[in-house]
């Protein structure tokens, strides 16, 4: 029987465990606002924009397009977001925050930011962790890294 990898040495396992626990923690915070993690991701994607196409929101929200469409339909019905034609390309539809969605976003953003700041402070992090994780995500997704070259050679 092969030995189990040490959890601290299995990067994917450690990252997955941390992601699950942070998301579960975030879900509890957001539930107090009547918001799901998926709704939060849509709200946070759209909040800083002048409207986004569904493809960009799907990427930000980590959701497949059909699931996102169903979620956005519910969010439109709840008056959290609205769809508008892109003035630059009338064939494209952009998603915008409705006033109710903006208010929910602002309340939830304050709670999420405070919780994340508390977690990072407990770690003694001064901003390097998020930057390192973003760099890791970019590096892992590039085909020119050693792991990427190994995949391409197969």
């Amino acid at each position: 029987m092969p030995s189990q990898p040490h959890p601290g040495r299995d990067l994917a396992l450690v990252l997955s465990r941390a992601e699950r626990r942070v998301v579960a923690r975030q879900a509890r915070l957001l539930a107090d606002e009547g918001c799901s993690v998926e709704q939060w991701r849509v709200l946070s994607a759209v909040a800083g924009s002048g409207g986004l196409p569904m493809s960009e929101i799907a990427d930000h929200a980590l959701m497949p397009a059909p699931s996102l469409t169903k979620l956005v339909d519910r969010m439109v019905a709840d008056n959290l977001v609205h769809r508008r034609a892109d003035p630059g390309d009338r064939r494209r539809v952009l998603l915008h925050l409705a006033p109710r969605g903006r208010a929910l976003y602002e309340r939830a953003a304050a709670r999420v930011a405070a919780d994340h700041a508390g977690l990072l402070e407990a770690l003694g992090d001064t901003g390097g962790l998020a930057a390192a994780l973003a760099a890791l995500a970019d590096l892992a997704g590039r085909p020119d890294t050693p792991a990427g070259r190994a995949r391409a050679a197969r």
Side-chain angles (χ1 to χ4, degrees), residues 26 30 33-35 39-49 60 75 79-81 97-113:
Q26 190 173 50
L30 293 170
E33 296 293 339
C35 184
Q39 286 174 318
W40 164 251
R41 289 177 178 162
V42 171
L43 293 172
S44 67
V46 176
S49 74
H60 178 84
M75 292 176 75
N79 200 28
L80 296 173
V81 295
L97 286 183
R100 185 167 184 242
R102 171 78 55 201
L104 173 57
Y105 169 77
E106 289 173 1
R107 287 191 317 271
R111 293 182 69 136
V112 168

Side-chain angles (χ1 to χ4, degrees), residues 5 13-14 25 31 34 46 50 54 57-58 60 62 64 75 95 124 133 141 146:
L13 176 64
V14 172
R25 190 179 171 98
V46 176
M54 294 291 279
I57 297 167
H60 178 84
L62 307 174
M75 292 176 75
L95 195 67
L133 290 173

